[in-house]
Amino acid sequence: MGFSPGNAQDLQAQVLERAGQADEAARMPGANIAAGHFAVQNTLIAYVELLRRHGRLEELRVLGTGEHTGETLAYYARASKTTDRQMWPRRH
């Protein structure tokens, strides 16, 4: 991903996440998305993927069942399913 003004926030979040600061990486895009201030759809998807990677299911649920349902519900469903499998493994 190259730099452009539209993806600067995504790149900053990636740097913070890689530095072990997932909470900080999620804070800024989360606030901007909640306020409707994001320039490109990739910002929303990058944020959802960040939440999924860090098991932040409640935030994913809010996105998956709110204003951005069309773009985010599938991510929430997959993360939920993965978490359920980890919590309740099948016994044979």
Side-chain angles (χ1 to χ4, degrees):
M1 174 188 304
F3 175 77
S4 75
N7 72 353
Q9 182 175 288
D10 299 347
L11 293 171
Q12 182 179 16
Q14 284 179 13
V15 168
L16 288 168
E17 181 184 16
R18 289 177 183 164
Q21 298 179 25
D23 288 340
E24 185 62 21
R27 184 189 60 75
M28 185 176 41
N32 287 336
I33 288 167
H37 300 145
F38 59 100
V40 293
Q41 193 66 21
N42 289 348
T43 298
L44 179 61
I45 301 308
Y47 176 60
V48 169
E49 284 291 332
L50 171 73
L51 295 176
R52 184 192 55 77
R53 284 191 299 275
H54 294 278
R56 297 173 76 154
L57 287 180
E58 181 57 24
E59 290 160 279
L60 273 173
R61 184 194 62 74
V62 168
L63 284 170
T65 59
E67 179 180 343
H68 303 290
T69 297
E71 299 91 348
T72 59
L73 182 60
Y75 291 91
Y76 170 63
R78 277 195 301 270
S80 247
K81 190 174 182 178
T82 299
T83 301
D84 285 347
R85 269 191 253 132
Q86 290 169 350
M87 291 177 61
W88 308 103
R90 285 189 167 180
R91 294 185 184 187
H92 297 274

